[in-house]
Amino acid sequence: MATAKRKTVFKLVQYTTYGFRYPRHDVNAAEIGYFSSREKAERKMHDHIQERDERDKADDEPDKRSHYLGFHITEIPIDDNENTYSYNDQIVSVRSYTPDGKLWDECLVSHGYGNGVESKFYGRNPEDIRFHRGDIVEVLQGSGCSELGIVDCEPPSKQRYDYLAEKAPDWFFMDHTDDCYLIYYLGKGDTHNHPDCTDVFPPAKPVSKSIEKRLREKLSEMQKLYETEK
């Protein structure tokens, strides 16, 4: 007997960064609302952007510390918490949008398992990989801050998935945690993490040449370190 598709709602959140200088900013996560469809959430997002921009134009003393990073529309189930242990386990899909409301990235792989929702990740098409090695990005680190980083590794492509699956057909699989980048940050030692693709945005404001230089030096430092250890 087929499992009925779960009922879901779509949560819309806007992220605004606060701070004069990179590499790290505080972030305000403003929950705008919950909607019965993605289309309704997107319409509200565009209405919000229009109202926000009109309000900003009328502001005689704008806050020069603040910059809009982007939006998330997160699909989560209602009337159903089976096989879940936390909010993150319940996520069905996540979409990220630029500050002007353009779809930037999406993860359509469920963070939980079962309930008739796809929970396996089969790699990305090349055109769906937004950033590449050496790109400077701004990463949402939870809902409280963002940080500049530099991309080392991209999420796996479909070709990469097929190659690995062929090597170990009896046990190999990927889930949403594999749909991520490997990114280095400024600091001592190994500063990398693996943020979800939907948490990685273009920088909200221009990056100085000195910060860019330091990030590129960090990437070079870590590449040389791991080449030495091979």
Side-chain angles (χ1 to χ4, degrees):
M1 184 183 209
T3 304
K5 190 178 187 306
R6 61 174 70 174
K7 297 177 182 178
T8 59
V9 293
F10 295 79
K11 182 174 75 167
L12 173 61
V13 176
Q14 176 182 258
Y15 298 102
T16 306
T17 69
Y18 291 91
F20 286 112
R21 296 182 179 180
Y22 278 133
R24 195 175 176 92
H25 285 155
D26 292 333
V27 169
N28 176 49
E31 193 172 287
I32 296 172
Y34 290 77
F35 304 87
S36 58
S37 70
R38 171 192 170 191
E39 292 74 20
K40 289 181 179 179
E42 289 179 332
R43 283 200 296 272
K44 177 61 179 177
M45 175 178 63
H46 289 293
D47 289 344
H48 173 83
I49 291 169
Q50 183 176 350
E51 294 169 2
R52 180 197 73 193
D53 290 350
E54 289 175 355
R55 186 172 61 250
D56 288 350
K57 287 178 183 178
D59 190 348
D60 293 332
E61 296 182 0
D63 188 347
K64 295 181 180 180
R65 300 173 306 154
S66 67
H67 295 81
Y68 301 114
L69 182 61
F71 296 86
H72 274 162
I73 293 180
T74 305
E75 184 182 7
I76 54 177
I78 55 173
D79 302 332
D80 173 18
N81 62 356
E82 184 179 356
N83 298 328
T84 59
Y85 301 95
S86 69
Y87 170 81
N88 285 337
D89 290 332
Q90 299 181 53
I91 292 173
V92 176
S93 67
V94 184
R95 292 174 174 87
S96 60
Y97 297 79
T98 59
D100 60 355
K102 293 185 177 66
L103 178 64
W104 180 251
D105 211 335
E106 57 186 5
C107 177
L108 307 182
V109 181
S110 172
H111 291 204
Y113 298 93
N115 295 319
V117 180
E118 180 58 67
S119 58
K120 291 184 179 180
F121 173 60
Y122 298 98
R124 285 181 169 244
N125 292 316
E127 62 270 21
D128 294 329
I129 298 175
R130 288 293 194 171
F131 298 108
H132 305 282
R133 174 176 283 181
D135 286 345
I136 307 296
V137 295
E138 188 160 356
V139 181
L140 188 64
Q141 306 280 24
S143 60
C145 70
S146 65
E147 187 169 5
L148 278 188
I150 187 165
V151 175
D152 185 7
C153 295
E154 305 165 4
S157 65
K158 290 184 181 294
Q159 183 178 12
R160 178 66 175 167
Y161 173 89
D162 291 341
Y163 170 78
L164 294 172
E166 185 178 353
K167 291 290 185 181
D170 294 332
W171 61 266
F172 178 79
F173 80 98
M174 292 183 177
D175 62 17
H176 75 94
T177 62
D178 297 293
D179 190 19
C180 64
Y181 291 93
L182 191 162
I183 293 177
Y184 286 102
Y185 307 91
L186 295 180
K188 294 182 179 180
D190 188 344
T191 59
H192 86 277
N193 70 358
H194 299 269
D196 294 344
C197 290
T198 49
D199 286 340
V200 184
F201 293 85
K205 63 179 185 178
V207 177
S208 69
K209 290 183 179 180
S210 62
I211 291 285
E212 180 178 348
K213 180 175 181 290
R214 289 168 59 196
L215 283 166
R216 298 202 181 285
E217 288 172 348
K218 183 66 182 182
L219 179 60
S220 177
E221 170 197 337
M222 299 313 299
Q223 287 175 336
K224 288 178 182 177
L225 174 64
Y226 286 111
E227 285 173 5
T228 304
E229 292 180 350
K230 285 182 180 178

